[in-house]
Amino acid sequence: MTDYAPIPAAKGCRDTPVLRERGQHEVFCGLTGIIWLHRKMQDAFFLVVGSRTCAHLLQSAAGVMIFAEPRFGTAILEEGDLAGMADAQDEIDREVARLLSRRPDIRQLFLVGSCPSEVIKLDLARAAERLSGQFAPHVRVLSYSGSGIETTFTQGEDACLAAMVPVLPETEARELVMVGALPDVVEQQALGLLGAMGIGPVRVLPSPRAADYFGLGPNTVFALTQPFLGDTHAALVRRGARHIPAPFPLGEEGTTGWLAAIAREFGVDAALFDAVTAAPRDRARRAVAQAAEPLAGKSVFFMPDSQLELPLARFLARECAMTPIEIGTPFLHRELMAPELDLLPAGPRLAEGQDVEKQLDRVRGDRPDLTVCGLGLANPLESEGLTTKWAIELVFTPVHFYEQAGDLAGLFARPLRRRAALRLDTAQPPAALAEARR
Amino acid sequence: MKLSVWTYEGPPHVGAMRVATGMTGLHYVLHAPQGDTYADLLFTMIERRDHRPPVTYTTFQARDLGADTADLFTAAAKAAYARFKPQAMIVGASCTAELIQDDPGGLAAAMDIPVPVIPLELPSYQRKENFGADETFFQITRALARPCDRTARPSVNLIGPTALGFRHRDDITELTGLLMDMGVAVNVCAPMGACPADITRLGAAHANVLMYPETGEAACRWMERELGQPFTKTVPIGVGATRDFVAELAGLLGMPAHLDESRLRLPWYSRSVDSTYLTGKRVFIFGDGTHVAAAARIARDEMGFDVAGVGCYNREMARPIRALAKDYGVEALISDDYLEVEERIESLAPEMILGTQMERHIGKRLGIPCAVISAPVHVQDFPARYSPQMGIEGANVIFDTWVHPLVMGLEEHLLHMFREDFEFHDAAGASHHGGKAVARSAEGDAAADGGSMPPEAAPAAEGPDTGTDVLVWLAEAERELKKIPFFVRGKARRNTESFAAQKGLREISVDTLYEAKAHYAR
Ligand code: SF4
Ligand code: SF4
């Protein structure tokens, strides 16, 4: 039953030493997770307890969404809250009561910790418990930290999902839980593939609505669709659930490897697995081949951002013929990444954490064909003549599973195609025109 | 605590970043947690700068909390100096660092960095972005500017433009040209474009042009006191204001006023008969105090609009805006609460909004045309083309920008005359905007929905209209109301209701509607 799993690279990256750096980190804090979580969880509200900076970050990151009566907001700490003039717990109660009276559609409320709330040691867990008691059963109140001091970008989702795990009920049922917030269309595709193999029932964390929540227990198995879910992984294991280790479902190979691990767990026979996956695998390969054409033989450098860097580098190296030079990641979870490290061909530098100035020096030294980096660095690097792919898009675009494999390759190819398409530097008439003038 | 879904201004350290990023040769060391580097992308994305802001963040994490955050700051400041070799540095704390009290100023002073290091005290839990910019520039000026000989020829400093300022780039160009026509040179333009060495030469100018009071007033007041430089109080946005500005400056410099109006087109465009239908259009104006004050004057005196309401989000400008509102016979709204602004707009039901990025979305939701006149703005309002707000060309730009969102005259007439057209109807919006034609809905009164709003987003207030709990619209009257074109329907509804209330009526009939129309006719 191992025949349908991807074959590891001859010499993987499992033993590659990791460069650990400390210095300026040019990354988002975990609050940004709210931007996609609030769309996914239809009856949840995210109340950040923080400062004007936190509110400003959310609106800068949320762009236009904020105008659609968003399901998030910031309780901005004021002078009085700090000076101890106001009892912060009372203040939270008041703000929450006001909010819930205005928004009866809210069934789950997350109190989200920020750097300021953590530094002043505001106990949001206690507040959540108290408020849960007060507003049960209509509203469930939970808390987690999305602060920059604790979390980096996608880790906000991890912290949120991990907070939900302890309150899920007990069950003895043998069920599969698919963990990670995916775009709806992608989630449906995944459920379709699993269903076609006879695997079920399948639960998803997070569910779109509080009413859809399910139980956990010793017979629960779970698979992660996102690499940044270390704390959620640990919380699920604490509840007795068992993890199915697998590469992440990015690209044809990653998706096949991920499905194969689950198929193996549920004793799906190879013929059925092939029957279900053959056509989409073929489709994915063809789509990638077409979209990845400009990528072949090109080098790529990943700045740390989301923890998606390793699986993406694996996809680019193995399916798009790119050469990763450096793969930076904000956090390297050895256990979860083991299947990825095995698949990744030896060669690239692995870096955890960041000293942005030093890392930029390495980028300039290496002059990669493509640099994957955040929006704070992308335009400055472009103006130095480097081609960039801004990393946030990889979190805001459907990229998982077979049907998106071609789009995923296309995301990386587009900046290279654009660079080739633009003729801005010198006055170059189009070839045909020049010909005609002759 | 105060719940906020939208903040008009960022925290004060973002204001300090706007000063540092506008300048050259100045570096900012900001004590801040990991994650606060998000602010970089305001400059690299929204303003599309091709370099990183000159800001080094300490980006401390939870594991650093305790004694060594101060060391982290010291190391970051040292590394920043060694790498960037700036002419001067500013150092300060973000809101989180303010809580851990490492005293960046004191730490930096003890480090013997061989250039001036200017400490910033920005109270993040009381003040906001504009204060941060104003205070930062004031501290830089105070630390570096010294009295010096005045230039031989008349010259001024342009004070206030910063990075991420609404149209600051082109306002500088426009004013520089205008001054040149007068025979006045620009000594230093600051913060935007200036380096610390330039700041030391501020004193050579004969006067200061305070372009944006929000970000330059404290420095101008200090220079007036310490360097003996008077500064202009008129902000040259609009035709009248530009003329007044030229006269004011000429007075300060003791020279004849001269303004080349050969390219000024607003007055003729506004007088031409095609603009007659603009007369009395009710506008609501919101933004920063400076732009609101300027817009109100243009709206009333130069476009012939009727100013239905004014307000600003920066309480530093509350006094002038209140005074202005009084002058215009309306109530001022001083608030940074987005929901409150939305409520006011809803109740005033203007035909047009002049506001910020946020009002644009309120307008979209309520189906009211909107033009942007003030920060905060998004990437579209940092355009590639020349688009000042100030001076002669600024007036031309403003005329076009404000008229564009409105339905054009002939279309407006046709909408009044023929209510049943299948493609040319209320909900379709102004036809020169090129959206997809929307078929007229069965009820004839398609929700003039903004488009991007998912249905769940409908606000709670969308239920019964204000007043309907006491006043009942009879079905016939309601149908008659719907025959009024959408851009004036809100006003008609409001007028009718207040007319009915005045008369002590509980029901509104078709007659009431027309009685009210006659009552308010002009
Ligand atoms: S890094 Fe901390 S202070 Fe900054 S926005 Fe995130 S949670 Fe708020
Ligand atoms: S990517 Fe650019 S346009 Fe889009 S939200 Fe960010 S800054 Fe605005």
Side-chain angles (χ1 to χ4, degrees):
Chain A
M1 287 282 285
T2 48
D3 46 347
Y4 44 63
I7 304 145
K11 207 170 167 302
C13 280
R14 201 187 270 254
D15 301 321
T16 307
V18 177
L19 178 65
R20 286 206 172 70
E21 278 185 320
R22 186 176 164 177
Q24 178 175 322
H25 287 197
E26 184 85 16
V27 291
F28 281 138
C29 63
L31 292 187
T32 37
I34 294 170
I35 307 297
W36 62 90
L37 286 172
H38 91 281
R39 297 320 287 177
K40 183 77 201 169
M41 299 164 73
Q42 298 279 309
D43 53 6
F45 192 96
F46 295 80
L47 181 62
V48 176
V49 180
S51 61
R52 180 169 303 283
T53 308
C54 310
H56 193 238
L57 159 91
L58 278 177
Q59 78 184 36
S60 308
V64 296
M65 233 159 26
I66 196 136
F67 300 104
E69 181 98 13
R71 292 183 298 271
F72 58 83
T74 310
I76 297 183
L77 294 163
E78 292 170 326
E79 270 286 283
D81 301 304
L82 303 177
M85 273 142 58
D87 183 334
Q89 297 283 349
D90 292 347
E91 293 276 306
I92 292 175
D93 289 4
R94 196 195 60 208
E95 288 304 324
V96 166
R98 260 226 313 252
L99 174 68
L100 292 179
S101 72
R102 212 170 74 84
R103 299 289 301 273
D105 52 316
I106 301 170
R107 306 299 305 270
Q108 320 181 59
L109 176 68
F110 290 94
L111 301 178
V112 188
S114 66
C115 304
S117 78
E118 269 160 43
V119 166
I120 62 170
K121 301 210 161 43
L122 244 179
D123 191 346
L124 295 183
R126 192 174 66 145
E129 220 169 281
R130 183 180 61 242
L131 288 163
S132 247
Q134 192 179 332
F135 292 101
H138 187 71
V139 189
R140 186 176 68 186
V141 185
L142 295 172
S143 74
Y144 72 90
S145 167
S147 74
I149 58 178
E150 295 279 1
T151 58
T152 305
F153 194 27
T154 48
Q155 280 178 319
E157 176 177 330
D158 188 27
C160 173
L161 303 192
M164 300 168 72
V165 171
V167 300
L168 294 178
E170 275 294 322
T171 179
E172 293 296 315
R174 172 154 166 85
E175 290 180 343
L176 172 66
V177 184
M178 194 165 84
V179 191
L182 293 177
D184 300 337
V185 52
V186 176
E187 195 169 286
Q188 255 120 51
Q189 288 167 13
L191 294 174
L193 287 163
L194 294 168
M197 285 187 259
I199 298 169
V202 186
R203 311 296 207 152
V204 287
L205 181 69
S207 321
R209 288 175 193 285
D212 304 334
Y213 278 105
F214 48 85
L216 292 173
N219 296 317
T220 309
V221 288
F222 68 93
L224 304 179
T225 57
Q226 298 280 24
F228 42 76
L229 298 170
D231 287 355
T232 310
H233 169 269
L236 286 163
V237 169
R238 272 199 296 280
R239 291 289 308 268
R242 188 161 47 78
H243 177 220
I244 304 171
F248 292 94
L250 293 161
E252 181 271 316
E253 222 185 20
T255 305
T256 304
W258 187 87
L259 287 169
I262 297 170
R264 210 177 295 133
E265 168 70 30
F266 284 85
V268 176
D269 72 67
L272 177 57
F273 185 85
D274 277 344
V276 171
T277 57
R281 282 181 79 170
D282 183 52
R283 216 164 33 230
R285 274 199 221 108
R286 275 184 285 128
V288 171
Q290 199 168 352
E293 215 204 272
L295 300 177
K298 301 281 187 350
S299 60
V300 59
F301 190 119
F302 280 89
M303 309 282 280
D305 194 56
S306 64
Q307 299 183 52
L308 281 158
E309 297 83 3
L310 263 167
L312 289 172
R314 179 262 302 157
F315 164 72
L316 292 177
R318 290 176 61 112
E319 295 182 48
C320 306
M322 292 190 88
T323 311
I325 304 179
E326 175 165 329
I327 309 169
T329 178
F331 181 73
L332 183 61
H333 195 299
R334 282 260 159 208
E335 192 191 332
L336 298 186
M337 283 300 178
E340 294 289 351
L341 289 168
D342 287 344
L343 289 174
L344 190 68
R349 286 189 298 265
L350 300 184
E352 185 184 11
Q354 187 176 40
D355 181 329
V356 73
E357 302 295 351
K358 289 193 189 135
Q359 195 170 36
L360 285 170
D361 287 345
R362 294 201 294 278
V363 171
R364 292 178 186 123
D366 292 339
R367 292 206 68 84
D369 296 311
L370 189 65
T371 305
V372 184
C373 62
L375 287 174
L377 300 172
N379 273 335
L381 286 176
E382 290 281 347
S383 81
E384 293 183 28
L386 290 157
T387 306
T388 61
K389 163 79 229 98
W390 50 283
I392 295 100
E393 205 175 6
L394 297 161
V395 177
F396 284 106
T397 312
V399 294
H400 292 71
F401 292 95
Y402 292 128
E403 311 307 342
Q404 284 66 239
D407 302 341
L408 178 57
L411 283 182
F412 292 96
R414 195 181 305 143
L416 291 166
R417 284 198 287 121
R418 181 166 185 79
R419 179 155 289 238
L422 294 180
R423 293 191 167 77
L424 292 166
D425 293 335
T426 46
Q428 283 175 316
L433 206 74
E435 192 61 35
R437 281 212 192 110
R438 217 165 273 154
Chain B
M1 278 174 219
K2 184 163 176 7
L3 184 72
S4 129
V5 284
W6 182 277
T7 69
Y8 281 91
E9 292 181 72
H13 71 258
V14 168
M17 281 186 75
R18 287 174 52 187
V19 171
T21 307
M23 290 180 67
T24 58
L26 180 84
H27 201 83
Y28 185 13
V29 183
L30 177 62
H31 205 15
Q34 159 176 284
D36 279 356
T37 54
Y38 81 85
D40 280 358
L41 61 90
L42 304 171
F43 301 93
T44 60
M45 294 298 294
I46 296 180
E47 205 180 6
R48 285 185 226 253
R49 287 192 173 249
D50 61 1
H51 57 87
R52 294 170 60 214
V55 183
T56 294
Y57 305 76
T58 55
T59 61
F60 56 83
Q61 290 173 273
R63 59 161 188 260
D64 303 315
L65 289 179
D68 77 338
T69 50
D71 299 344
L72 217 60
F73 177 83
T74 313
K78 220 175 256 159
Y81 179 74
R83 181 174 281 262
F84 300 104
K85 294 272 156 39
Q87 297 170 19
M89 294 211 317
I90 52 178
V91 298
S94 77
C95 54
T96 307
E98 187 181 333
L99 299 171
I100 56 180
Q101 299 186 328
D102 278 334
D103 184 20
L107 290 168
M111 283 173 55
D112 54 38
I113 291 172
V115 296
V117 178
I118 303 156
L120 301 174
E121 297 287 345
L122 302 174
S124 311
Y125 297 90
Q126 291 167 23
R127 310 304 297 263
K128 290 177 250 171
E129 176 178 334
N130 280 330
F131 169 84
D134 190 56
E135 171 70 12
T136 301
F137 184 57
F138 162 58
Q139 292 299 343
I140 292 171
T141 306
R142 201 176 69 144
L144 302 178
R146 293 286 166 266
C148 47
D149 292 340
R150 301 278 195 250
T151 54
R153 300 223 342 259
S155 68
V156 294
N157 300 315
L158 298 183
I159 300 297
T162 66
L164 214 67
F166 174 66
R167 308 295 167 87
H168 288 193
R169 178 195 71 195
D170 297 338
D171 283 349
I172 293 172
T173 309
E174 185 67 20
L175 274 197
T176 305
L178 184 152
L179 292 166
M180 204 194 292
D181 288 346
M182 270 179 83
V184 175
V186 172
N187 178 51
V188 173
C189 172
M192 187 93 117
C195 64
D198 294 330
I199 303 297
T200 63
R201 300 190 292 109
L202 281 172
H206 295 241
N208 283 315
V209 169
L210 175 54
M211 291 176 68
Y212 308 103
E214 277 85 356
T215 49
E217 185 155 356
C220 278
R221 290 197 183 286
W222 182 86
M223 288 187 274
E224 182 173 55
R225 241 182 7 255
E226 303 295 324
L227 307 177
Q229 290 162 314
F231 66 92
T232 53
K233 311 289 190 299
T234 314
V235 176
I237 300 177
V239 180
T242 300
R243 289 175 182 148
D244 291 355
F245 166 82
V246 168
E248 183 189 0
L249 186 65
L252 291 182
L253 298 174
M255 55 195 295
H258 170 76
L259 179 63
D260 175 5
E261 296 193 0
S262 58
R263 287 175 305 109
L264 177 63
R265 283 177 282 268
L266 181 144
W268 167 241
Y269 269 56
S270 197
R271 263 198 302 262
S272 74
V273 294
D274 192 55
S275 298
T276 315
Y277 82 111
L278 300 177
T279 314
K281 283 234 181 276
R282 300 175 62 256
V283 296
F284 177 79
I285 309 176
F286 197 82
D288 67 43
T290 297
H291 286 88
V292 166
R297 177 168 177 189
I298 300 169
R300 187 184 65 181
D301 300 347
E302 296 168 22
M303 302 292 278
F305 292 154
D306 185 3
V307 176
V310 295
C312 71
Y313 57 77
N314 49 338
R315 65 163 189 229
E316 290 87 350
M317 295 290 279
R319 273 216 323 196
I321 293 302
R322 283 214 179 87
L324 177 117
K326 214 162 161 202
D327 188 28
Y328 281 65
V330 295
E331 210 184 313
L333 175 65
I334 313 295
S335 172
D336 64 351
D337 186 338
Y338 168 70
L339 297 175
E340 220 177 304
V341 178
E342 186 178 59
E343 208 176 291
R344 177 67 62 94
I345 291 175
E346 224 163 348
S347 78
L348 287 174
E351 288 159 84
M352 181 172 186
I353 307 168
L354 302 171
T356 74
Q357 177 69 19
M358 273 86 98
E359 282 68 48
R360 185 144 81 181
H361 290 261
I362 295 175
K364 196 168 168 185
R365 199 175 74 69
L366 300 176
I368 302 172
C370 178
V372 169
I373 59 155
S374 157
V377 292
H378 203 28
V379 61
Q380 309 89 318
D381 275 298
F382 288 92
R385 66 177 187 277
Y386 183 56
S387 339
Q389 298 287 291
M390 291 186 176
I392 297 298
E393 188 57 21
N396 296 336
V397 167
I398 285 171
F399 180 89
D400 289 346
T401 311
W402 293 13
V403 169
H404 180 82
L406 297 167
V407 171
M408 290 191 292
L410 180 59
E411 186 171 4
E412 189 174 305
H413 284 297
L414 290 173
L415 281 169
H416 273 285
M417 288 169 65
F418 308 108
R419 309 283 312 146
E420 309 299 327
D421 195 288
F422 65 94
E423 62 173 2
F424 200 48
H425 58 93
D426 283 6
S431 61
H432 64 288
H433 290 168
K436 182 179 180 298
V438 196
R440 198 163 54 85
S441 78
E443 312 88 70
D445 176 42
D449 187 14
S452 83
M453 285 261 306
E456 90 252 359
E462 202 65 338
D465 271 306
T466 12
T468 32
D469 46 344
V470 277
L471 283 165
V472 181
W473 280 78
L474 298 176
E476 191 85 359
E478 190 80 48
R479 263 196 301 281
E480 198 67 17
L481 179 69
K482 282 180 184 161
K483 294 184 187 157
I484 297 169
F486 65 97
F487 38 86
V488 280
R489 191 182 306 143
K491 174 188 166 195
R493 176 186 285 278
R494 226 175 34 99
N495 281 353
T496 310
E497 285 173 0
S498 48
F499 176 77
Q502 265 172 43
K503 299 270 171 222
L505 300 174
R506 303 192 56 89
E507 286 182 345
I508 295 173
S509 65
V510 176
D511 273 344
T512 327
L513 182 68
Y514 286 113
E515 284 292 333
K517 184 169 189 278
H519 179 80
Y520 291 105
R522 57 180 148 133

